[in-house]
Amino acid sequence: MAAVQGGMVDEKEEVDIKTEPQSDGLMNTNATDGRQLSPSPSSSSSAGSTKSAAGAPEDQQTLLAVLQFLRKNKLTESVEILRREAGLPEDALDTKGADCSAPSSGGTAGGVDGLDAGSLLSRVAVSSSAGTPAPTKAAVADDQPDVSVVLSAYSQQGDPALYKVYYSDLKKFIESVLDCHRAELSQVFYPLFVHMYLELVYNNHESEAKAFFEKFSGDQECYYEDDLRVLSSLTKKEHMRGNETLLDFRTSKFVLRISRDSYQLLKRHLQERQNNQIWNIIQEHLYIDIFDGMPRSKSQIDAMSGSLAGEAKREANKAKVYYGLLKEPEIEVPLDDEDEEAENEEGKPKKKKPKKDSMGSKSKKQDPNAPLQNRIPLPELKDSDKLDKIMYMKESTKRIRLGRENLPSICFYTFLNAYQGLTAVDFTDDSSLIAGGFADSTVRVWSVTPKKLRKVKSAADLNLIDKESDDVLERIMDEKTASESKILYGHSGPVYGISFSPDRNYLLSCSEDGTVRLWSLLTFTCLVGYKGHNYPVWDTQFSPYGYYFVSGGHDRVARLWATDHYQPLRIFAGHLADVTCTRFHPNSNYVVTGSSDRTIRLWDVLTGNCVRIFTGHKGPIHTLAFSPNGKFLASGATDGRVLLWDIGHGLMVSELKGHTDTVYALRFSRDGEILASGSMDNTVRLWDAAKAFDDLETDDFTAATGHIHLQDNSQELLLGTYMSKSTPVVHLHFTRRNLLLAAGSYAA
Amino acid sequence: MGFGVSSFAALTATMAEREERRFAQVSRESVALMAESAGVELGEEMAAVLAEDVCYRLREAAQSCSQFMKHAKRKKLTVEDFNRALRWSNVEAVCGYGAQDALPFRSGKEGELFFVEDREINLIELALATNIPKGCAETMVRVNVAYLDGKGGVELQGAVPTAVQSLSDDLLKYYQQITRAILGDDPHLMKVKSVSHDLEQLNRLLHMVRSLVQNPYLYLGSYVRSLVSSVMYCILEPLAASINPLNDHWTLRDYAALLLSNIFWTHGDLVSGLYHQILLSLQKVLSDPVRPLCSHYGAVVGLHALGWKAVEKVLFPHLPAYWANLQAVLDDYSVSNAQVKADGHKVYGAILVAVERLLKMKALSLSHPGEWCFNAQTGSLAAAVGYSSPGLSPPPESLSEAAFGIASHLQAGSGGCPWEEWAPVSLPAMYLELYSFFGDSLAVRFSTGPGLDSPPYCPSALLREPKKEALGQGSNSDTARKMPQLTANLSISPRRDGSPRTDPPPPSLRSRYSSSRSAQRLTGLPRDVFPKARFASPQNGPPSFSFVIGGRQMGQRCQGRRPFQTVFAPTPPPAAVPPRAYAHKLPVIGRVGKPVRRWTCSHYSLLLPL
């Protein structure tokens, strides 16, 4: 599967286009900033097309390359269209853009990988077009030229025997410098090591490469172990083609943050020694983000490093993020009060009314950090949604206030007889339904209340019922079909992610078969199959307002969809490896993705830009959770650690150590006081999120540099560890009253 | 294909071990061999290159298949994962290895050939099979409150004890059979403690433990310990069932004690460390006056079951202290005390049997060098109490053998932790002391008790024996249960017959009973005095029954243990009279009545110095 990523490129294409450092925002092919996200097919097609990139010189080159490629493949019509489009102003819409990308992508299959933008562009083009034929032939046959382009940087010949000398010379130097610089300069070791090794391999110095690896691999930080393992198996030039890790190293510059003093030190040393080999690598493959001020300490560096491509550049996290919550709709309050009053008249005296009012007024206040209400178009509230909101309000008045002294009760939903096949779980927000995705391609839905699951009557029967009656919603249901659970068949591979729509009428599931399916929970049938990811889709989630959903998969991109569009509205490209989990921000304006490149990215739904990159995890990220106020993010990874992030400042807030295995589930309590984490190690742990966020003091310097001082207070923050009986915790959910529900399948 | 699969298995194995940095290698030779089998001639160089590439591809595939495992939230990499990785990299999948179970990966007898075991399946048989499997159970969700307010742990529903997880398939089936056999359909009976009200259940449980212990194909390992602890529970705990006097928990305790000794016999190697521990706990129970009498009873039979050495070490030193308590119970004639007193008699009987056996075995162990010596010993002993029984000396060689068996076992068992406080008491001294408690009854039992006629000890006999015991036990308990409260005492006798279990009774159990019965009838003497003895006789004529009654009756006239003892004198001879010894025995039994009074006197004299 790795092979396909390589893609191909026209041999005639200029092979030595220099890769320019680009911000990730530019790499996106989505509509440019400021354009309203309009969920129409034409806009979605623009995601696939390449025209938005026009303007920047490198994008022009990309276009040129694509045109050449198309011509070579005799796709004259596409060439025409593309050329015409490239000349047009960027905001012009042409539905043919989609047609253009579809046939071209059939051929490109994996992308023009010569340069950053190009590769991502074409990859996007490939995967965005729905009916792309399997890119098998193209990928396998045409890998070679691509690799030669890519690796041309490695072709410079140095004496292979000297590599060891160079490296150990540098090592000696770095070990001899002052302590404060040593930690910073040590960051250079890993990227240098990898590039030198690859250079040796590329130039067919197999034995030297092996010796080099043997000698210095032990020096690398332990969290690069996984990458080193991949590297160690790579000993031949032929193997380099189509290797994901290699491509990642090539397509992106490894980012290091080094203080100016330390950098000068390094530069001087290398120039003195005439150590051009190393200097070249640093110049070409490393991006050194130089900052003024005190060098960072070892622990500071360790907290932030570990990702596949180094740390995030400081500029990457500078964009303003509107993390505030959207105002609740105005109509809500009077409706709610009325209803509450009606309730009170029947039952208790009206005591709650003042309380209600205060809540209403609170929600009326506009949060300065909140996005505009209409920043992205959101679906109109239906009557049923309003009713649900009212229910939610009522429930939340009965909510238990959690805290350090008041921990939640935990209910465990155990899936029995699942034969290790349970892969995903989701609860509805009101905790009335639970769904499980299984390795046998099925999705099963259970009702966890006494209310059974019923299908809607058949069309013929529906004609018979009285449509004017008050209980028409009840009448359309077919009592004969009532059962505790329903099975949804449709996928042809393990179901890796599922998500209920907020209104409980739909269910999303994504699977290894490359599709995302939308199921109706009224008819219990599949409504749409969204094809776009041509590779396994690892996760999907509905927007908190419904209608939109996001998915991410093995093709390294996350996609934003609307339920009524068969093509994605946005494609979030930038991750260097699989997108393993995707989550919507509570205000629906942002999407966060975690990846196996060990980074977390926050994407603006409106612009499609990446607005935050969080590094610090040492393993693939498998779960993410926003705090209810939208300010913070929690992430869990295979390294068993949970990291907390401040979205506004783009900083790591806290590191929660305790789990001994992959963290698969994270959830904040409804009021954000408690963070619950569930793991493969069969435990649920509760953390004092309120304390972690309160302790946070962000001074200007920290905010400006992003250099955080983390104190190790995991043990202080850990409120409790709760064991299950050999049942890995796959999902966590707080009910509206703050009862914690956990789910997992018993592993016999 | 075969090689591919095998190296794949090896590869996954290496992945499992993180610290293992080396990866599987497909050797040049393997590639050459494969090519040959496909009819292609490969050059040496070509094979080497190919081999290296195969290695790389395998590693790559292994790398990418692991993510399917991670996303499926599993810890175990399956063949299915690997096939997915292959499929996505456009390589043909490996078919035929999709089973969920781990594939047995073996090495050939010779050479370095590894293969996956691939049984041939008879398709015809499969197709025509009538016992079509019913299919798997429905996947379902069960909820339970795991933690309330962040505190406490409530058991997960549907969870199986962790120990079960490690079992292999066959053992799992066995486990399921056993649990079903024990629990029936009631899942609440997972613990012994929860069934203490139900003797039937406990009995079933014990029988199950027995069959587990006796299963020669089952290595119990450390589980023996938990078995022992459950058995100990049955022996010692004041079960809820004991509250109702109609419940025959005594039998249960007897049976459990028997089982305990059985475990020690057959699994001595596994429980060696436990022996000392068990003795301690038995001693604790015995020395705890707060415990109900049924617990004490359990402790005594438990000690008895563990062999005479245990009795000597624990019970004997405790006897003086304990005696006072027991006596107090026995001497209380209030109506409210009737039940307790009956229990007290039970304990008394148990102690008596244990002590009797202790003396006998001790005598034997002292006399082991030869028949004559033994006879001399007994003779001298008998002389010491003014009673000689030369004609009664049983064939000693067989018994001493058995005695050795037990003794050596005990020594092995307690080897690790010697019983420090215990100082051996010489046999006569012991006898004197014991006599001070039991008086004549001891003497009678000592001279004629069971066990002297045991067949030579052999392990197989031991293994077979318990079944018979169980049978006898069952029938006994039946009678006992039917008896009204007063005669519940009857079960003493089965216990007494059954309790010297370390010493296997002769196979001719029945005949022995009948003989003793006839002996009783012949003597006639005790019947006049203790007519109630007839109740017992139809079943197995337990002599101890009569002495208990006697004790009580006599107790009304006099106080203390002296009258008690005098009453014992007319006790009929014990049951265990071998048929062949019967003829010899007759006159002796007849004579028993006469020396009694003399014994009482001698008893007095013996007692004075104490």
Side-chain angles (χ1 to χ4, degrees):
Chain A
M1 88 179 77
V4 214
Q5 300 291 348
M8 58 187 257
V9 82
D10 191 350
E11 273 171 277
K12 286 173 216 153
E13 202 175 353
E14 317 96 293
V15 287
D16 33 14
I17 295 169
K18 266 279 152 67
T19 308
E20 299 278 303
Q22 280 180 309
S23 85
D24 291 286
L26 278 175
M27 289 150 77
N28 277 291
T29 56
N30 298 311
T32 45
D33 295 34
R35 185 190 295 169
Q36 282 287 340
L37 177 82
S38 66
S40 73
S42 57
S43 126
S44 75
S45 73
S46 75
S49 79
T50 55
K51 63 187 182 308
S52 68
E58 58 265 36
D59 289 334
Q60 289 284 15
Q61 279 182 317
T62 312
L63 271 177
L64 219 65
V66 173
L67 279 173
Q68 269 185 339
F69 173 83
L70 292 175
R71 193 175 302 144
K72 188 204 166 201
N73 286 279
K74 300 193 176 64
L75 298 162
T76 44
E77 198 183 335
S78 305
V79 172
E80 258 331 288
I81 295 165
L82 187 60
R83 186 175 289 156
R84 187 154 22 97
E85 279 201 17
L88 288 173
E90 55 181 355
D91 57 340
L93 293 175
D94 190 339
T95 41
K96 282 180 182 172
D99 305 332
C100 154
S101 70
S104 72
S105 60
T108 38
V112 186
D113 264 325
L115 54 161
D116 262 5
S119 74
L120 284 155
L121 256 176
S122 53
R123 200 181 297 148
V124 164
V126 171
S127 26
S128 68
S129 59
T132 308
T136 324
K137 280 176 287 173
V140 173
D142 297 308
D143 259 354
Q144 187 62 46
D146 176 37
V147 173
S148 61
V149 172
V150 168
L151 301 175
S152 57
Y154 286 143
S155 57
Q156 58 200 20
Q157 271 284 23
D159 186 349
L162 285 178
Y163 273 62
K164 264 197 236 175
V165 181
Y166 292 147
Y167 189 88
S168 45
D169 181 51
L170 184 72
K171 193 174 148 190
K172 221 177 285 163
F173 163 70
I174 289 177
E175 273 164 5
S176 71
V177 298
L178 285 174
D179 281 1
C180 60
H181 299 301
R182 190 189 304 146
E184 286 213 308
L185 293 181
S186 298
Q187 297 177 83
V188 178
F189 281 136
Y190 176 68
L192 259 189
F193 168 80
V194 176
H195 281 293
M196 289 174 85
Y197 176 76
L198 290 178
E199 217 166 290
L200 283 172
V201 171
Y202 182 78
N203 293 319
N204 289 321
H205 303 300
E206 197 181 325
S207 54
E208 282 91 350
K210 274 182 181 161
F212 183 79
F213 191 90
E214 283 290 306
K215 185 149 191 222
F216 299 113
S217 64
D219 299 345
Q220 311 305 329
E221 298 284 354
C222 54
Y223 42 78
Y224 291 120
E225 192 194 333
D226 287 349
D227 291 345
L228 289 177
R229 191 175 301 134
V230 175
L231 218 56
S232 73
S233 64
L234 201 138
T235 53
K236 284 208 183 314
K237 188 177 173 181
E238 293 79 46
H239 295 159
M240 288 173 84
R241 86 161 86 125
N243 187 296
E244 282 178 70
T245 317
L246 171 65
L247 288 177
D248 292 338
F249 259 93
R250 171 181 42 75
T251 55
S252 64
K253 286 191 168 191
F254 198 93
V255 181
L256 303 171
R257 283 193 207 176
I258 295 183
S259 70
R260 191 170 295 284
D261 293 350
S262 304
Y263 178 69
Q264 296 294 355
L265 214 61
L266 178 71
K267 197 172 164 188
R268 212 177 311 134
H269 168 78
L270 291 174
Q271 279 168 353
E272 267 169 29
R273 293 296 179 99
Q274 303 276 305
N275 199 339
N276 285 330
Q277 204 71 36
I278 287 184
W279 186 241
N280 280 338
I281 289 175
I282 290 180
Q283 291 281 311
E284 280 178 34
H285 299 288
L286 267 56
Y287 178 94
I288 298 184
D289 195 2
I290 300 162
F291 62 87
D292 295 304
M294 287 284 290
R296 293 187 295 170
S297 70
K298 173 96 175 104
S299 64
Q300 276 180 309
I301 292 167
D302 279 347
M304 299 293 287
S305 56
S307 100
L308 198 58
E311 293 182 46
K313 290 169 207 164
R314 273 173 302 156
E315 303 91 75
N317 287 343
K318 286 285 177 264
K320 162 96 173 145
V321 174
Y322 301 100
Y323 54 79
L325 299 185
L326 290 179
K327 216 167 29 169
E328 288 296 308
E330 295 282 333
I331 38 160
E332 202 61 35
V333 185
L335 231 177
D336 181 56
D337 275 357
E338 268 170 36
D339 189 83
E340 194 70 24
E341 265 173 70
E343 277 278 296
N344 288 343
E345 272 158 18
E346 286 164 25
K348 290 172 276 180
K350 336 175 182 175
K351 220 167 69 187
K352 283 176 189 163
K353 204 179 175 190
K355 218 180 188 176
K356 275 281 129 191
D357 277 346
S358 71
M359 275 185 80
S361 67
K362 201 198 278 172
S363 69
K364 263 177 231 158
K365 221 188 296 165
Q366 176 67 41
D367 184 342
N369 289 311
L372 284 177
Q373 206 70 14
N374 57 354
R375 191 165 177 264
I376 60 165
L378 290 172
E380 288 277 307
L381 281 183
K382 287 177 292 191
D383 286 349
S384 58
D385 296 331
K386 288 172 188 165
L387 280 173
D388 198 54
K389 287 257 186 251
I390 292 160
M391 279 304 294
Y392 175 77
M393 295 289 231
K394 274 193 218 157
E395 287 279 296
S396 52
T397 58
K398 294 172 190 159
R399 181 181 297 162
I400 297 167
R401 182 93 183 154
L402 296 180
R404 180 167 274 272
E405 302 304 322
N406 198 9
L407 297 179
S409 303
I410 307 174
C411 279
F412 207 106
Y413 285 79
T414 313
F415 286 74
L416 300 174
N417 307 320
Y419 306 105
Q420 297 246 343
L422 182 76
T423 44
V425 178
D426 196 29
F427 284 97
T428 53
D429 187 68
D430 66 349
S431 318
S432 63
L433 301 176
I434 184 174
F438 291 85
D440 62 0
S441 319
T442 59
V443 175
R444 287 157 203 257
V445 185
W446 283 268
S447 167
V448 295
T449 59
K451 199 177 154 196
K452 296 208 164 164
L453 300 175
R454 294 171 301 176
K455 287 184 191 173
V456 169
K457 285 178 185 163
S458 69
D461 290 339
L462 282 177
N463 273 331
L464 300 177
I465 61 170
D466 174 16
K467 277 142 198 110
E468 300 307 314
S469 70
D470 290 340
D471 61 343
V472 66
L473 287 178
E474 188 60 30
R475 289 194 186 194
I476 57 170
M477 306 312 286
D478 188 355
E479 273 310 320
K480 286 193 293 266
T481 58
S483 65
E484 235 177 49
S485 82
K486 294 262 187 264
I487 307 179
L488 307 174
Y489 298 101
H491 281 295
S492 59
V495 178
Y496 289 122
I498 51 175
S499 174
F500 280 106
S501 72
D503 60 5
R504 294 186 299 280
N505 285 333
Y506 305 103
L507 176 71
L508 276 174
S509 63
C510 63
S511 158
E512 189 248 10
D513 62 13
T515 63
V516 179
R517 279 175 186 269
L518 182 75
W519 308 85
S520 163
L521 296 183
L522 293 173
T523 60
F524 291 98
T525 52
C526 182
L527 300 176
V528 197
Y530 300 94
K531 294 172 186 172
H533 295 276
N534 284 320
Y535 292 95
V537 188
W538 298 132
D539 199 8
T540 186
Q541 205 208 9
F542 252 114
S543 149
Y545 293 88
Y547 187 59
Y548 300 110
F549 65 93
V550 62
S551 65
H554 181 65
D555 58 1
R556 305 172 183 206
V557 296
R559 281 151 207 265
L560 178 83
W561 311 72
T563 46
D564 56 358
H565 288 67
Y566 66 93
Q567 285 194 320
L569 305 180
R570 294 285 182 275
I571 293 176
F572 306 113
H575 277 299
L576 301 175
D578 302 28
V579 175
T580 48
C581 58
T582 55
R583 287 289 177 277
F584 256 100
H585 190 276
N587 68 19
S588 200
N589 277 259
Y590 296 91
V591 158
V592 70
T593 56
S595 163
S596 43
D597 67 7
R598 307 188 284 273
T599 65
I600 298 158
R601 282 168 185 256
L602 186 73
W603 310 87
D604 190 336
V605 164
L606 180 67
T607 63
N609 288 341
C610 175
V611 288
R612 289 286 181 274
I613 303 175
F614 296 128
T615 61
H617 270 299
K618 318 288 190 240
I621 289 130
H622 274 276
T623 180
L624 294 160
F626 280 102
S627 68
N629 61 10
K631 264 187 178 172
F632 301 100
L633 175 71
S635 60
T638 53
D639 56 10
R641 298 182 316 151
V642 175
L643 298 183
L644 300 179
W645 309 89
D646 180 339
I647 294 167
H649 295 99
L651 296 175
M652 193 191 295
V653 174
S654 192
E655 179 187 10
L656 307 176
K657 285 185 271 191
H659 282 293
T660 56
D661 210 326
T662 307
V663 179
Y664 275 120
L666 279 175
R667 190 63 76 125
F668 282 94
S669 67
R670 292 281 173 158
D671 38 22
E673 300 274 335
I674 300 273
L675 174 67
S677 62
S679 157
M680 196 74 171
D681 64 10
N682 303 341
T683 60
V684 172
R685 282 168 207 259
L686 299 179
W687 309 88
D688 193 342
K691 183 170 157 50
F693 298 141
D694 286 346
D695 289 355
L696 177 68
E697 48 200 49
T698 318
D699 52 48
D700 292 343
F701 175 77
T702 316
T705 58
H707 301 162
I708 36 108
H709 297 268
L710 282 184
Q711 67 256 47
D712 185 21
N713 55 354
S714 295
Q715 288 318 304
E716 241 175 86
L717 297 177
L718 179 63
L719 299 180
T721 302
Y722 303 97
M723 300 285 294
S724 72
K725 269 194 186 165
S726 50
T727 309
V729 184
V730 171
H731 189 77
L732 290 169
H733 177 82
F734 274 96
T735 66
R736 290 172 173 178
R737 297 185 187 188
N738 265 341
L739 171 71
L740 179 56
L741 308 181
S745 85
Y746 174 68
Chain B
M1 182 61 84
F3 281 96
V5 169
S6 57
S7 46
F8 156 61
L11 202 69
T12 51
T14 47
M15 285 199 55
E17 300 163 308
R18 285 228 144 193
E19 53 279 8
E20 175 70 71
R21 284 303 264 294
R22 301 229 57 86
F23 291 86
Q25 301 280 345
V26 178
S27 71
R28 203 175 347 170
E29 288 78 21
S30 312
V31 173
L33 208 69
M34 295 267 300
E36 220 170 89
S37 68
V40 183
E41 200 64 44
L42 275 186
E44 183 88 336
E45 221 169 283
M46 183 70 109
V49 171
L50 257 179
E52 201 153 343
D53 196 56
V54 166
C55 288
Y56 174 73
R57 297 293 164 208
L58 275 172
R59 283 179 216 177
E60 200 184 26
Q63 199 76 36
S64 50
C65 68
S66 71
Q67 64 184 328
F68 288 102
M69 172 189 76
K70 279 182 198 154
H71 282 282
K73 301 179 172 88
R74 266 184 280 115
K75 277 183 187 164
K76 198 167 130 197
L77 191 70
T78 63
V79 180
E80 191 60 23
D81 291 331
F82 191 77
N83 274 341
R84 277 182 211 294
L86 290 183
R87 220 171 290 139
W88 281 109
S89 47
N90 302 301
V91 177
E92 233 176 272
V94 182
C95 295
Y97 296 94
Q100 290 270 321
D101 324 314
L103 294 167
F105 189 60
R106 323 214 143 166
S107 62
K109 280 197 191 89
E110 54 198 61
E112 294 175 2
L113 182 66
F114 296 91
F115 59 93
V116 177
E117 203 178 35
D118 196 3
R119 277 181 301 125
E120 274 183 27
I121 295 170
N122 189 342
L123 280 179
I124 300 170
E125 231 169 67
L126 200 68
L128 301 178
T130 46
N131 57 334
I132 298 156
K134 278 185 203 132
C136 326
E138 186 64 24
T139 304
M140 53 180 149
V141 187
R142 286 288 169 269
V143 65
N144 67 313
V145 178
Y147 291 92
L148 206 58
D149 294 333
K151 286 183 252 355
V154 187
E155 264 184 49
L156 276 193
Q157 257 187 2
V160 184
T162 27
V164 179
Q165 287 168 50
S166 53
L167 296 181
S168 71
D169 270 5
D170 290 342
L171 281 176
L172 198 66
K173 254 179 241 160
Y174 192 63
Y175 167 83
Q176 282 158 353
Q177 291 292 339
I178 288 172
T179 41
R180 200 179 313 148
I182 297 175
L183 303 176
D185 295 325
D186 192 351
H188 293 295
L189 304 177
M190 275 312 235
K191 286 181 190 153
V192 181
K193 277 184 186 154
S194 59
V195 292
S196 72
H197 60 279
D198 189 350
L199 278 175
E200 279 289 315
Q201 276 292 351
L202 282 175
N203 251 326
R204 244 197 291 170
L205 208 73
L206 283 181
H207 280 277
M208 189 52 74
V209 170
R210 165 183 290 280
S211 37
L212 277 177
V213 167
Q214 289 178 352
N215 187 342
Y217 300 104
L218 194 66
Y219 178 74
L220 289 167
S222 56
Y223 296 111
V224 172
R225 286 169 178 276
S226 45
L227 284 184
V228 165
S229 72
S230 4
V231 172
M232 286 295 283
Y233 180 88
C234 289
I235 296 177
L236 289 180
E237 282 312 303
L239 305 168
S242 320
I243 297 167
N244 185 349
L246 290 179
N247 279 331
D248 186 25
H249 57 101
W250 308 105
T251 318
L252 183 81
R253 291 175 201 281
D254 289 338
Y255 186 69
L258 164 73
L259 202 52
L260 187 67
S261 80
N262 206 6
I263 290 174
F264 272 93
W265 274 112
T266 47
H267 293 276
D269 49 333
L270 296 174
V271 287
S272 55
L274 270 183
Y275 180 76
H276 183 71
Q277 222 175 310
I278 286 177
L279 283 192
L280 268 178
S281 63
L282 288 173
Q283 184 187 23
K284 218 176 116 204
V285 170
L286 205 57
S287 57
D288 183 0
V290 185
R291 291 261 192 170
L293 283 168
C294 53
S295 287
H296 290 157
Y297 175 85
V300 174
V301 291
L303 282 171
H304 184 73
L306 287 175
W308 62 273
K309 286 242 171 191
V311 176
E312 187 179 12
K313 279 180 197 168
V314 182
L315 180 61
F316 181 64
H318 260 283
L319 213 47
Y322 185 69
W323 191 256
N325 290 330
L326 185 61
Q327 198 64 53
V329 171
L330 292 180
D331 292 348
D332 184 354
Y333 299 108
S334 59
V335 180
S336 61
N337 194 44
Q339 181 55 39
V340 180
K341 200 170 151 208
D343 289 356
H345 282 299
K346 281 282 204 190
V347 180
Y348 178 88
I351 295 177
L352 185 68
V353 171
V355 159
E356 170 209 339
R357 182 173 174 74
L358 163 66
L359 285 175
K360 214 171 280 168
M361 295 318 289
K362 186 130 174 126
L364 274 175
S365 73
L366 289 175
S367 64
H368 64 83
E371 198 174 330
W372 291 114
C373 191
F374 170 81
N375 275 343
Q377 274 284 351
T378 7
S380 65
L381 247 178
V385 282
Y387 174 69
S388 88
S389 55
L392 281 178
S393 305
E397 57 271 41
S398 62
L399 229 199
S400 56
E401 215 177 317
F404 275 137
I406 295 160
S408 60
H409 160 69
L410 281 181
Q411 271 145 14
S414 57
C417 36
W419 200 261
E420 279 144 35
E421 315 102 64
W422 175 64
V425 185
S426 75
L427 183 58
M430 188 184 283
Y431 184 82
L432 290 185
E433 192 178 342
L434 288 173
Y435 192 85
S436 70
F437 297 130
F438 297 100
D440 308 344
S441 61
L442 187 66
V444 172
R445 295 181 55 81
F446 182 57
S447 57
T448 57
L452 295 178
D453 45 5
S454 306
Y457 164 73
C458 68
S460 62
L462 192 83
L463 278 175
R464 266 185 282 107
E465 216 44 62
K467 260 174 236 162
K468 258 181 238 159
E469 288 283 352
L471 261 173
Q473 211 65 42
S475 59
N476 287 338
S477 62
D478 279 344
T479 48
R481 230 169 282 136
K482 282 173 210 143
M483 295 291 181
Q485 182 193 339
L486 229 177
T487 45
N489 287 349
L490 266 176
S491 54
I492 276 184
S493 63
R495 188 256 314 129
R496 207 198 42 165
D497 275 336
S499 50
R501 279 170 195 110
T502 43
D503 183 3
S508 54
L509 210 63
R510 285 264 151 140
S511 59
R512 198 178 63 183
Y513 285 149
S514 60
S515 71
S516 69
R517 231 181 289 145
S518 56
Q520 244 175 4
R521 231 170 279 133
L522 274 172
T523 49
L525 189 113
R527 273 202 274 150
D528 297 338
V529 189
F530 310 111
K532 271 191 183 165
R534 250 177 280 160
F535 275 1
S537 55
Q539 191 46 241
N540 42 21
S544 61
F545 175 84
S546 51
F547 83 62
V548 170
I549 301 288
R552 219 191 284 160
Q553 289 176 337
M554 292 309 284
Q556 279 167 348
R557 261 188 283 132
C558 333
Q559 294 293 319
R561 61 185 180 235
R562 270 166 261 164
F564 213 68
Q565 287 152 354
T566 50
V567 172
F568 292 155
T571 305
V577 181
R580 58 192 152 84
Y582 170 59
H584 299 283
K585 204 112 198 175
L586 257 180
V588 182
I589 296 166
R591 281 213 311 266
V592 168
K594 262 190 222 162
V596 165
R597 260 145 228 129
R598 256 195 297 148
W599 281 3
T600 343
C601 300
S602 62
H603 154 69
Y604 281 130
S605 59
L606 278 168
L607 188 69
L608 284 174
L610 289 167

